[in-house]
């Protein structure tokens, strides 16, 4: 069961009773909300399968572009669960639109979490890159078994592309924000990998567990409270790096902005946020080729054309 937290953060946090672990639970699952990602979802799935993800729990926000036709061609029923998720609800008292991602994440933990050792909560433009080892399972050893891991965004910008380049996203973009923990309202945040049977509170960017409260750890096992994780000393990408391909090309960012955000009715607010964020990224970039090196080293195929691009 879950309950909404009764304060001004009503749409942002959900308190839940952790699910019961199932016999033989194992592996890592990814949970994501998806809408019209047919151009990008194949490489995202192929990459995460290659690094050891066992199952994808995807919440479909009324996709109409064949996204899930693509997914069903490359994933079996044992690897893919699709949940219809056209969620538009408001709190009666405040009138606030409920955050559909938060509700989806809570739903995933409660209904499926008992099957897995870990669940990762990311978007289709975010990639979990192992920095030590070939798989996420190997890389997660760095955290020492902590049940709540926070990975900072490594925000990638245009990398000089005006129009969409050929080939996979994660090969085309190599310029990212220099300091992932430099505070910026919309360009500095975390995504999490958790032990689902420990989770007591759910949000898009943070979780709580019954064994450690609001304490989280970085990929190297250093723990901190939710607020303390923003300190420079918390930063680590030694074992796992979260690459967020936020902007892509100028053309694609324009299309993204025009579509708006699925779970927010404030169109102008969203457009201003995107414009401010990309300006910040582009003013503070460094080159990062770690994804290209990983894909080359392990000969990972993201689609039929990958081999010709390496």
């Amino acid at each position: 069961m879950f309950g909404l937290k009764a304060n001004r953060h009503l749409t942002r946090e959900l308190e839940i009773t952790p699910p019961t672990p199932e016999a033989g639970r194992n592996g890592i699952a990814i949970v994501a909300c998806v809408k019209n990602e047919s151009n990008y979802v194949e490489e995202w799935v192929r990459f995460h399968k290659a690094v050891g993800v066992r199952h994808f729990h995807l919440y479909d926000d009324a996709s109409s572009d064949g996204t899930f036709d693509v997914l069903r061609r490359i994933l079996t029923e044992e690897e893919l669960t699709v949940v219809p998720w056209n969620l538009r609800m408001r709190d009666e008292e405040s009138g606030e639109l409920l955050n559909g991602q938060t509700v989806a994440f809570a739903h995933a933990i409660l209904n499926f979490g008992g099957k897995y050792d870990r669940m990762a909560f990311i978007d289709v433009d975010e990639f979990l890159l192992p920095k030590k080892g070939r798989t996420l399972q190997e890389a997660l050893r760095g955290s020492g078994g902590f049940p709540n891991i926070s990975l900072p965004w490594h925000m990638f910008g245009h990398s000089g592309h005006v129009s969409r380049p050929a080939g996979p996203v994660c090969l085309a973009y190599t310029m990212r924000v220099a300091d992932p923990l430099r505070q910026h309202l919309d360009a500095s945040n975390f995504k999490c990998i958790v032990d689902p049977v420990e989770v007591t509170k759910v949000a898009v960017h943070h979780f709580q567990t019954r064994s450690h409260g609001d304490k989280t750890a970085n990929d190297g096992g250093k723990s901190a409270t939710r607020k303390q994780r923003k300190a420079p000393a918390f930063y680590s990408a030694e074992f796992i790096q979260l690459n967020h391909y936020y902007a892509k090309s100028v053309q694609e960012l324009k299309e993204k902005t025009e579509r708006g955000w699925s779970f927010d009715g404030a169109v102008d607010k969203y457009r201003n946020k995107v414009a401010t964020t990309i300006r910040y990224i582009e003013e503070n970039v460094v080159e990062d080729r770690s994804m290209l090196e990983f894909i080359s080293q392990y000969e990972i195929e993201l689609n039929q054309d990958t081999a010709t691009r390496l």
Side-chain angles (χ1 to χ4, degrees), residues 5-308:
K5 186 173 181 181
N7 61 19
R8 67 186 180 87
H9 297 297
L10 180 66
T11 63
R12 301 175 188 172
E13 295 180 335
L14 290 170
E15 295 180 358
I16 67 171
T17 300
T20 301
E22 297 184 14
R25 75 179 181 119
N26 69 91
I28 300 172
I30 282 180
V31 179
C33 293
V34 177
K35 183 179 180 71
N36 291 340
E37 295 283 359
S38 62
N39 289 330
Y40 309 108
V41 75
E42 179 177 355
E43 72 165 286
W44 182 77
V45 163
R46 288 191 184 280
F47 176 82
H48 286 106
K49 276 191 65 176
V51 298
V53 171
R54 172 187 162 196
H55 199 96
F56 297 82
H57 290 276
L58 303 183
Y59 286 70
D60 178 19
D61 184 23
S63 293
S64 58
D65 70 341
T67 293
F68 287 86
D69 294 331
V70 173
L71 287 165
R72 291 186 177 98
R73 286 198 297 269
I74 57 179
L75 294 174
T76 67
E77 292 183 1
E78 288 72 33
E79 297 169 323
L80 174 65
T81 297
V82 179
V83 181
W85 205 249
N86 191 353
L87 180 69
R88 301 294 183 275
M89 297 190 297
R90 294 185 182 274
D91 172 59
E92 182 179 9
E93 183 177 344
S94 69
E96 288 188 68
L97 191 69
L98 297 183
N99 189 309
Q101 279 186 290
T102 302
V103 182
F105 292 176
H107 180 275
I109 291 173
L110 291 169
N111 287 275
F112 312 116
K115 302 175 186 292
Y116 309 106
D117 293 324
R118 296 281 175 168
M119 294 182 104
F121 298 86
I122 61 174
D123 296 326
V124 176
D125 59 359
E126 296 171 337
F127 287 66
L128 295 165
L129 170 63
K131 298 291 286 292
K132 286 194 175 179
R134 168 69 171 73
T135 67
L136 288 172
Q137 288 90 334
E138 293 174 284
L140 280 166
R141 293 172 187 163
S143 65
F146 207 92
N148 179 10
I149 302 167
S150 291
L151 303 173
W153 275 341
H154 290 70
M155 298 281 276
F156 285 72
H158 295 312
S159 295
H161 295 292
V162 176
S163 58
R164 182 183 175 187
V169 167
C170 62
L171 296 180
Y173 298 91
T174 59
M175 305 302 291
R176 65 159 173 87
V177 165
D179 180 2
L181 288 196
R182 180 182 174 187
Q183 293 305 297
H184 181 278
L185 181 61
D186 297 307
S188 174
N189 218 324
F190 300 81
K191 287 296 180 71
C192 298
I193 302 176
V194 302
D195 179 348
V197 303
E198 284 288 321
V199 174
T200 57
K201 188 175 290 186
V202 181
V204 174
H205 299 285
H206 62 272
F207 293 76
Q208 289 191 24
T209 60
R210 57 184 163 192
S211 57
H212 291 82
D214 81 335
K215 280 198 170 182
T216 185
N218 64 18
D219 66 320
K222 181 175 182 177
S223 64
T225 65
R226 175 187 166 194
K227 290 184 179 180
Q228 291 170 343
R229 68 181 180 169
K230 297 179 181 179
F234 185 79
Y235 175 75
S236 172
E238 181 181 0
F239 296 90
I240 304 175
Q241 181 169 304
L242 176 62
N243 284 3
H244 186 179
Y245 297 98
Y246 177 85
K248 302 184 180 72
S249 67
V250 174
Q251 169 199 342
E252 290 163 289
L253 184 65
K254 182 176 183 293
E255 293 169 354
K256 171 182 176 178
T257 305
E258 289 174 350
R259 287 196 304 269
W261 187 48
S262 295
F263 299 112
D264 190 346
V267 176
D268 290 339
K269 179 181 177 182
Y270 176 74
R271 289 175 178 169
N272 290 335
K273 181 182 81 168
V274 171
T276 301
T277 302
I278 189 56
R279 280 198 300 270
Y280 169 79
I281 294 172
E282 292 294 278
E283 291 170 357
N284 298 277
V285 295
V286 295
E287 186 177 33
D288 184 339
R289 300 181 63 84
S290 55
M291 175 64 83
L292 280 69
E293 292 164 1
F294 179 85
I295 289 172
S296 178
Q297 178 181 355
Y298 294 108
E299 300 181 342
I300 292 174
E301 294 185 7
L302 301 172
N303 57 37
Q304 292 180 349
D305 299 324
T306 304
T308 64

